[in-house]
Amino acid sequence: MHRSDDSLPDEEWDRFLRDAAAGTGAADAPKEPSARARMVTRRLQGQPPPEPPRAYRLAAPAAARGRRPWFTIVVAALVVLAIVAFVPGPLTGLFRSGGGSAGPVAPQGPTVREPFRDSPAEHWAEGADGIDVPAARATGGMSAAEVGQALGRTKDFLVGTNLDPGVLRGERPTGALRFLDPRQRAVREYVTDAFGAPGAPGGENDPLRLATRFDPARFAFAGDVVKTRGGMTFRAAGGGGIDVTTDVTYVYPVVRASGGGEVVRTIVRRAVVLRWRAPGTAGAGTFQLVSYASDVTNGGCGDRKGYFSPEFGAERAMVAPDDGVVIDPYDRAGTVDGHAGTEDECASAVRS
């Protein structure tokens, strides 16, 4: 048996070797980690924490998920290594690859081939399939068929503002807005100003309040899949018709348009309420935009000039997160508490 270093007194080491040869004293074996275990421990102790992604916060922060202390993992590793040291043979084969050397450690985080790697969205549905639509029933003076039509058009609106390839590149969401009630003048004016031209002004006329857009001159997508999770509910609206409440999270894997292999994810959670009027009432067959709010992680902070502007590794390192505000963009337990029209507030997110 080879002694890995001289961290134990010679007398104690000699006593252990004599007891091991005699088959006694196993319970008193010196608790000395192997050189490999000490290396892992030092690496974990000296490893800097990952740079947190930036989040555009419009809602109350979600509680950060608990983590298992690193020293628990190290202690478990030491136990396994001790077993392998004293029980050679088949067990050691579990830790070998090919000719006995350790295999390469798989890279962590998203890649161009696996843009949702190490993310809850890896197991989410793709595109429109992740937006659940409830079963229709007669409500608010509308038949089940009419409610079903309103729900289907609501889903079309969500797809047209957050998943349509042209809209994602900055085009006007014409199809999504074709059923907008013309009597809702303020919303009509907002739509005209916000989507009048690429690079529309921010502030009150920010198109990102309603649609997801990335500047194609700066960003491209890693593949053609957007992961989604969420759905909608409905209830009777005053004066006839239904209010459809939607709450959907969209995950976009993004790369630089100029090239490079780094992939980041922009996560947008939107809560939008549409009011559909019943037949025979004013505005029947159209919807009114009742409310809209959103949370955005890694979409840029401040004036984004009509496009989400995700930050990559070096850029994120240059910006310090605000103190005390941490969110988990995948936590859908709470509601989106929107503050549309107020000053943008940046936060740090536990993951992206």
Side-chain angles (χ1 to χ4, degrees), residues 253-278:
V254 184
V255 296
R256 292 184 179 91
S258 58
E262 184 178 4
V263 179
V264 298
R265 292 183 286 253
T266 295
I267 306 167
V268 182
R269 181 183 177 188
R270 294 192 184 274
V272 183
V273 180
L274 304 183
R275 176 168 294 166
W276 295 89
R277 288 302 183 183

PDB file of all heavy atoms in Angstrom, residues 253-278:
ATOM      1  N   PRO A 253     -33.217  30.441 -26.956  1.00  0.00           N
ATOM      2  CA  PRO A 253     -31.748  30.290 -26.988  1.00  0.00           C
ATOM      3  C   PRO A 253     -31.148  31.193 -28.059  1.00  0.00           C
ATOM      4  O   PRO A 253     -31.551  31.155 -29.226  1.00  0.00           O
ATOM      5  CB  PRO A 253     -31.570  28.807 -27.332  1.00  0.00           C
ATOM      6  CG  PRO A 253     -32.786  28.453 -28.122  1.00  0.00           C
ATOM      7  CD  PRO A 253     -33.902  29.347 -27.664  1.00  0.00           C
ATOM      8  N   VAL A 254     -30.192  32.021 -27.675  1.00  0.00           N
ATOM      9  CA  VAL A 254     -29.700  33.079 -28.550  1.00  0.00           C
ATOM     10  C   VAL A 254     -28.184  32.986 -28.694  1.00  0.00           C
ATOM     11  O   VAL A 254     -27.472  32.633 -27.744  1.00  0.00           O
ATOM     12  CB  VAL A 254     -30.084  34.465 -27.985  1.00  0.00           C
ATOM     13  CG1 VAL A 254     -29.672  35.573 -28.945  1.00  0.00           C
ATOM     14  CG2 VAL A 254     -31.583  34.543 -27.725  1.00  0.00           C
ATOM     15  N   VAL A 255     -27.687  33.307 -29.889  1.00  0.00           N
ATOM     16  CA  VAL A 255     -26.251  33.420 -30.150  1.00  0.00           C
ATOM     17  C   VAL A 255     -25.992  34.781 -30.795  1.00  0.00           C
ATOM     18  O   VAL A 255     -26.924  35.467 -31.216  1.00  0.00           O
ATOM     19  CB  VAL A 255     -25.745  32.300 -31.088  1.00  0.00           C
ATOM     20  CG1 VAL A 255     -25.902  30.940 -30.449  1.00  0.00           C
ATOM     21  CG2 VAL A 255     -26.477  32.352 -32.433  1.00  0.00           C
ATOM     22  N   ARG A 256     -24.729  35.161 -30.851  1.00  0.00           N
ATOM     23  CA  ARG A 256     -24.371  36.397 -31.542  1.00  0.00           C
ATOM     24  C   ARG A 256     -24.516  36.213 -33.058  1.00  0.00           C
ATOM     25  O   ARG A 256     -24.124  35.177 -33.598  1.00  0.00           O
ATOM     26  CB  ARG A 256     -22.932  36.802 -31.228  1.00  0.00           C
ATOM     27  CG  ARG A 256     -22.695  37.225 -29.778  1.00  0.00           C
ATOM     28  CD  ARG A 256     -21.259  37.693 -29.633  1.00  0.00           C
ATOM     29  NE  ARG A 256     -20.941  38.145 -28.291  1.00  0.00           N
ATOM     30  CZ  ARG A 256     -20.447  37.356 -27.330  1.00  0.00           C
ATOM     31  NH1 ARG A 256     -20.230  36.072 -27.599  1.00  0.00           N
ATOM     32  NH2 ARG A 256     -20.167  37.851 -26.140  1.00  0.00           N
ATOM     33  N   ALA A 257     -25.038  37.215 -33.723  1.00  0.00           N
ATOM     34  CA  ALA A 257     -25.161  37.138 -35.174  1.00  0.00           C
ATOM     35  C   ALA A 257     -23.801  37.115 -35.850  1.00  0.00           C
ATOM     36  O   ALA A 257     -23.651  36.578 -36.947  1.00  0.00           O
ATOM     37  CB  ALA A 257     -25.982  38.326 -35.696  1.00  0.00           C
ATOM     38  N   SER A 258     -22.810  37.676 -35.188  1.00  0.00           N
ATOM     39  CA  SER A 258     -21.464  37.718 -35.756  1.00  0.00           C
ATOM     40  C   SER A 258     -20.742  36.386 -35.651  1.00  0.00           C
ATOM     41  O   SER A 258     -19.643  36.234 -36.181  1.00  0.00           O
ATOM     42  CB  SER A 258     -20.643  38.797 -35.047  1.00  0.00           C
ATOM     43  OG  SER A 258     -20.575  38.541 -33.652  1.00  0.00           O
ATOM     44  N   GLY A 259     -21.326  35.415 -34.973  1.00  0.00           N
ATOM     45  CA  GLY A 259     -20.717  34.098 -34.844  1.00  0.00           C
ATOM     46  C   GLY A 259     -20.221  33.845 -33.438  1.00  0.00           C
ATOM     47  O   GLY A 259     -20.390  34.653 -32.525  1.00  0.00           O
ATOM     48  N   GLY A 260     -19.603  32.686 -33.261  1.00  0.00           N
ATOM     49  CA  GLY A 260     -19.164  32.280 -31.931  1.00  0.00           C
ATOM     50  C   GLY A 260     -20.072  31.199 -31.390  1.00  0.00           C
ATOM     51  O   GLY A 260     -21.250  31.121 -31.741  1.00  0.00           O
ATOM     52  N   GLY A 261     -19.522  30.378 -30.512  1.00  0.00           N
ATOM     53  CA  GLY A 261     -20.272  29.231 -30.037  1.00  0.00           C
ATOM     54  C   GLY A 261     -21.058  29.459 -28.766  1.00  0.00           C
ATOM     55  O   GLY A 261     -21.780  28.556 -28.329  1.00  0.00           O
ATOM     56  N   GLU A 262     -20.940  30.639 -28.155  1.00  0.00           N
ATOM     57  CA  GLU A 262     -21.617  30.841 -26.870  1.00  0.00           C
ATOM     58  C   GLU A 262     -23.122  30.993 -27.069  1.00  0.00           C
ATOM     59  O   GLU A 262     -23.589  31.743 -27.926  1.00  0.00           O
ATOM     60  CB  GLU A 262     -21.069  32.078 -26.157  1.00  0.00           C
ATOM     61  CG  GLU A 262     -21.691  32.269 -24.766  1.00  0.00           C
ATOM     62  CD  GLU A 262     -21.134  33.465 -24.028  1.00  0.00           C
ATOM     63  OE1 GLU A 262     -20.309  34.204 -24.627  1.00  0.00           O
ATOM     64  OE2 GLU A 262     -21.508  33.667 -22.863  1.00  0.00           O
ATOM     65  N   VAL A 263     -23.886  30.254 -26.256  1.00  0.00           N
ATOM     66  CA  VAL A 263     -25.339  30.300 -26.291  1.00  0.00           C
ATOM     67  C   VAL A 263     -25.842  30.818 -24.954  1.00  0.00           C
ATOM     68  O   VAL A 263     -25.418  30.341 -23.902  1.00  0.00           O
ATOM     69  CB  VAL A 263     -25.945  28.905 -26.572  1.00  0.00           C
ATOM     70  CG1 VAL A 263     -27.469  28.970 -26.580  1.00  0.00           C
ATOM     71  CG2 VAL A 263     -25.429  28.350 -27.889  1.00  0.00           C
ATOM     72  N   VAL A 264     -26.722  31.790 -24.989  1.00  0.00           N
ATOM     73  CA  VAL A 264     -27.392  32.267 -23.776  1.00  0.00           C
ATOM     74  C   VAL A 264     -28.887  32.135 -23.987  1.00  0.00           C
ATOM     75  O   VAL A 264     -29.359  31.986 -25.120  1.00  0.00           O
ATOM     76  CB  VAL A 264     -27.014  33.720 -23.441  1.00  0.00           C
ATOM     77  CG1 VAL A 264     -25.521  33.847 -23.156  1.00  0.00           C
ATOM     78  CG2 VAL A 264     -27.427  34.670 -24.558  1.00  0.00           C
ATOM     79  N   ARG A 265     -29.624  32.198 -22.902  1.00  0.00           N
ATOM     80  CA  ARG A 265     -31.075  32.065 -22.996  1.00  0.00           C
ATOM     81  C   ARG A 265     -31.749  33.329 -22.471  1.00  0.00           C
ATOM     82  O   ARG A 265     -31.389  33.833 -21.407  1.00  0.00           O
ATOM     83  CB  ARG A 265     -31.558  30.845 -22.226  1.00  0.00           C
ATOM     84  CG  ARG A 265     -31.123  29.526 -22.841  1.00  0.00           C
ATOM     85  CD  ARG A 265     -31.695  28.343 -22.088  1.00  0.00           C
ATOM     86  NE  ARG A 265     -31.043  28.120 -20.806  1.00  0.00           N
ATOM     87  CZ  ARG A 265     -30.199  27.109 -20.540  1.00  0.00           C
ATOM     88  NH1 ARG A 265     -29.886  26.256 -21.500  1.00  0.00           N
ATOM     89  NH2 ARG A 265     -29.684  26.967 -19.342  1.00  0.00           N
ATOM     90  N   THR A 266     -32.725  33.819 -23.223  1.00  0.00           N
ATOM     91  CA  THR A 266     -33.594  34.897 -22.774  1.00  0.00           C
ATOM     92  C   THR A 266     -34.929  34.281 -22.404  1.00  0.00           C
ATOM     93  O   THR A 266     -35.513  33.539 -23.203  1.00  0.00           O
ATOM     94  CB  THR A 266     -33.774  35.964 -23.866  1.00  0.00           C
ATOM     95  OG1 THR A 266     -32.516  36.593 -24.129  1.00  0.00           O
ATOM     96  CG2 THR A 266     -34.784  37.014 -23.440  1.00  0.00           C
ATOM     97  N   ILE A 267     -35.402  34.577 -21.205  1.00  0.00           N
ATOM     98  CA  ILE A 267     -36.626  33.967 -20.690  1.00  0.00           C
ATOM     99  C   ILE A 267     -37.659  35.068 -20.470  1.00  0.00           C
ATOM    100  O   ILE A 267     -37.406  36.039 -19.758  1.00  0.00           O
ATOM    101  CB  ILE A 267     -36.358  33.224 -19.374  1.00  0.00           C
ATOM    102  CG1 ILE A 267     -35.219  32.222 -19.565  1.00  0.00           C
ATOM    103  CG2 ILE A 267     -37.615  32.523 -18.882  1.00  0.00           C
ATOM    104  CD1 ILE A 267     -34.665  31.670 -18.280  1.00  0.00           C
ATOM    105  N   VAL A 268     -38.805  34.903 -21.092  1.00  0.00           N
ATOM    106  CA  VAL A 268     -39.869  35.909 -21.011  1.00  0.00           C
ATOM    107  C   VAL A 268     -41.130  35.238 -20.488  1.00  0.00           C
ATOM    108  O   VAL A 268     -41.624  34.282 -21.085  1.00  0.00           O
ATOM    109  CB  VAL A 268     -40.153  36.543 -22.388  1.00  0.00           C
ATOM    110  CG1 VAL A 268     -41.220  37.625 -22.260  1.00  0.00           C
ATOM    111  CG2 VAL A 268     -38.879  37.108 -23.002  1.00  0.00           C
ATOM    112  N   ARG A 269     -41.622  35.740 -19.376  1.00  0.00           N
ATOM    113  CA  ARG A 269     -42.911  35.267 -18.865  1.00  0.00           C
ATOM    114  C   ARG A 269     -43.926  36.388 -19.021  1.00  0.00           C
ATOM    115  O   ARG A 269     -43.716  37.496 -18.530  1.00  0.00           O
ATOM    116  CB  ARG A 269     -42.810  34.861 -17.395  1.00  0.00           C
ATOM    117  CG  ARG A 269     -44.141  34.328 -16.830  1.00  0.00           C
ATOM    118  CD  ARG A 269     -44.039  33.991 -15.362  1.00  0.00           C
ATOM    119  NE  ARG A 269     -45.319  33.559 -14.824  1.00  0.00           N
ATOM    120  CZ  ARG A 269     -45.573  33.337 -13.532  1.00  0.00           C
ATOM    121  NH1 ARG A 269     -44.599  33.494 -12.639  1.00  0.00           N
ATOM    122  NH2 ARG A 269     -46.772  32.966 -13.132  1.00  0.00           N
ATOM    123  N   ARG A 270     -45.012  36.096 -19.728  1.00  0.00           N
ATOM    124  CA  ARG A 270     -46.027  37.111 -20.009  1.00  0.00           C
ATOM    125  C   ARG A 270     -47.376  36.699 -19.420  1.00  0.00           C
ATOM    126  O   ARG A 270     -47.777  35.541 -19.512  1.00  0.00           O
ATOM    127  CB  ARG A 270     -46.186  37.312 -21.518  1.00  0.00           C
ATOM    128  CG  ARG A 270     -44.951  37.894 -22.198  1.00  0.00           C
ATOM    129  CD  ARG A 270     -45.289  38.333 -23.612  1.00  0.00           C
ATOM    130  NE  ARG A 270     -44.119  38.809 -24.335  1.00  0.00           N
ATOM    131  CZ  ARG A 270     -43.652  40.042 -24.288  1.00  0.00           C
ATOM    132  NH1 ARG A 270     -44.264  40.932 -23.505  1.00  0.00           N
ATOM    133  NH2 ARG A 270     -42.586  40.396 -24.976  1.00  0.00           N
ATOM    134  N   ALA A 271     -48.053  37.686 -18.845  1.00  0.00           N
ATOM    135  CA  ALA A 271     -49.430  37.527 -18.380  1.00  0.00           C
ATOM    136  C   ALA A 271     -50.271  38.565 -19.108  1.00  0.00           C
ATOM    137  O   ALA A 271     -50.102  39.772 -18.901  1.00  0.00           O
ATOM    138  CB  ALA A 271     -49.518  37.720 -16.877  1.00  0.00           C
ATOM    139  N   VAL A 272     -51.153  38.114 -19.999  1.00  0.00           N
ATOM    140  CA  VAL A 272     -51.975  38.997 -20.822  1.00  0.00           C
ATOM    141  C   VAL A 272     -53.437  38.608 -20.647  1.00  0.00           C
ATOM    142  O   VAL A 272     -53.775  37.420 -20.623  1.00  0.00           O
ATOM    143  CB  VAL A 272     -51.575  38.899 -22.312  1.00  0.00           C
ATOM    144  CG1 VAL A 272     -52.385  39.871 -23.155  1.00  0.00           C
ATOM    145  CG2 VAL A 272     -50.083  39.154 -22.489  1.00  0.00           C
ATOM    146  N   VAL A 273     -54.300  39.598 -20.523  1.00  0.00           N
ATOM    147  CA  VAL A 273     -55.742  39.366 -20.395  1.00  0.00           C
ATOM    148  C   VAL A 273     -56.445  39.983 -21.599  1.00  0.00           C
ATOM    149  O   VAL A 273     -56.292  41.185 -21.876  1.00  0.00           O
ATOM    150  CB  VAL A 273     -56.305  39.960 -19.090  1.00  0.00           C
ATOM    151  CG1 VAL A 273     -57.816  39.699 -18.998  1.00  0.00           C
ATOM    152  CG2 VAL A 273     -55.596  39.375 -17.878  1.00  0.00           C
ATOM    153  N   LEU A 274     -57.215  39.171 -22.329  1.00  0.00           N
ATOM    154  CA  LEU A 274     -58.002  39.620 -23.469  1.00  0.00           C
ATOM    155  C   LEU A 274     -59.483  39.467 -23.156  1.00  0.00           C
ATOM    156  O   LEU A 274     -59.896  38.466 -22.562  1.00  0.00           O
ATOM    157  CB  LEU A 274     -57.666  38.798 -24.727  1.00  0.00           C
ATOM    158  CG  LEU A 274     -56.202  38.736 -25.182  1.00  0.00           C
ATOM    159  CD1 LEU A 274     -56.101  37.948 -26.468  1.00  0.00           C
ATOM    160  CD2 LEU A 274     -55.619  40.128 -25.350  1.00  0.00           C
ATOM    161  N   ARG A 275     -60.264  40.452 -23.563  1.00  0.00           N
ATOM    162  CA  ARG A 275     -61.726  40.395 -23.367  1.00  0.00           C
ATOM    163  C   ARG A 275     -62.395  40.228 -24.719  1.00  0.00           C
ATOM    164  O   ARG A 275     -62.234  41.059 -25.625  1.00  0.00           O
ATOM    165  CB  ARG A 275     -62.226  41.662 -22.691  1.00  0.00           C
ATOM    166  CG  ARG A 275     -63.748  41.737 -22.525  1.00  0.00           C
ATOM    167  CD  ARG A 275     -64.121  42.877 -21.595  1.00  0.00           C
ATOM    168  NE  ARG A 275     -63.624  42.608 -20.249  1.00  0.00           N
ATOM    169  CZ  ARG A 275     -63.555  43.535 -19.279  1.00  0.00           C
ATOM    170  NH1 ARG A 275     -63.932  44.781 -19.519  1.00  0.00           N
ATOM    171  NH2 ARG A 275     -63.096  43.215 -18.092  1.00  0.00           N
ATOM    172  N   TRP A 276     -63.143  39.127 -24.850  1.00  0.00           N
ATOM    173  CA  TRP A 276     -63.876  38.835 -26.073  1.00  0.00           C
ATOM    174  C   TRP A 276     -65.365  39.074 -25.828  1.00  0.00           C
ATOM    175  O   TRP A 276     -65.927  38.571 -24.862  1.00  0.00           O
ATOM    176  CB  TRP A 276     -63.656  37.379 -26.500  1.00  0.00           C
ATOM    177  CG  TRP A 276     -62.241  37.078 -26.884  1.00  0.00           C
ATOM    178  CD1 TRP A 276     -61.245  36.662 -26.072  1.00  0.00           C
ATOM    179  CD2 TRP A 276     -61.688  37.180 -28.189  1.00  0.00           C
ATOM    180  NE1 TRP A 276     -60.081  36.489 -26.779  1.00  0.00           N
ATOM    181  CE2 TRP A 276     -60.317  36.797 -28.090  1.00  0.00           C
ATOM    182  CE3 TRP A 276     -62.192  37.554 -29.434  1.00  0.00           C
ATOM    183  CZ2 TRP A 276     -59.477  36.790 -29.201  1.00  0.00           C
ATOM    184  CZ3 TRP A 276     -61.337  37.534 -30.545  1.00  0.00           C
ATOM    185  CH2 TRP A 276     -60.007  37.163 -30.414  1.00  0.00           C
ATOM    186  N   ARG A 277     -65.971  39.864 -26.708  1.00  0.00           N
ATOM    187  CA  ARG A 277     -67.367  40.217 -26.542  1.00  0.00           C
ATOM    188  C   ARG A 277     -68.293  39.170 -27.169  1.00  0.00           C
ATOM    189  O   ARG A 277     -67.958  38.551 -28.177  1.00  0.00           O
ATOM    190  CB  ARG A 277     -67.639  41.589 -27.162  1.00  0.00           C
ATOM    191  CG  ARG A 277     -67.050  42.745 -26.364  1.00  0.00           C
ATOM    192  CD  ARG A 277     -67.593  42.739 -24.946  1.00  0.00           C
ATOM    193  NE  ARG A 277     -67.116  43.873 -24.157  1.00  0.00           N
ATOM    194  CZ  ARG A 277     -67.408  44.035 -22.872  1.00  0.00           C
ATOM    195  NH1 ARG A 277     -68.145  43.141 -22.250  1.00  0.00           N
ATOM    196  NH2 ARG A 277     -66.946  45.087 -22.216  1.00  0.00           N
ATOM    197  N   ALA A 278     -69.471  39.014 -26.538  1.00  0.00           N
ATOM    198  CA  ALA A 278     -70.447  38.036 -26.998  1.00  0.00           C
ATOM    199  C   ALA A 278     -71.175  38.550 -28.237  1.00  0.00           C
ATOM    200  O   ALA A 278     -71.260  39.768 -28.468  1.00  0.00           O
ATOM    201  CB  ALA A 278     -71.446  37.752 -25.879  1.00  0.00           C
TER     202      ALA A 278
END
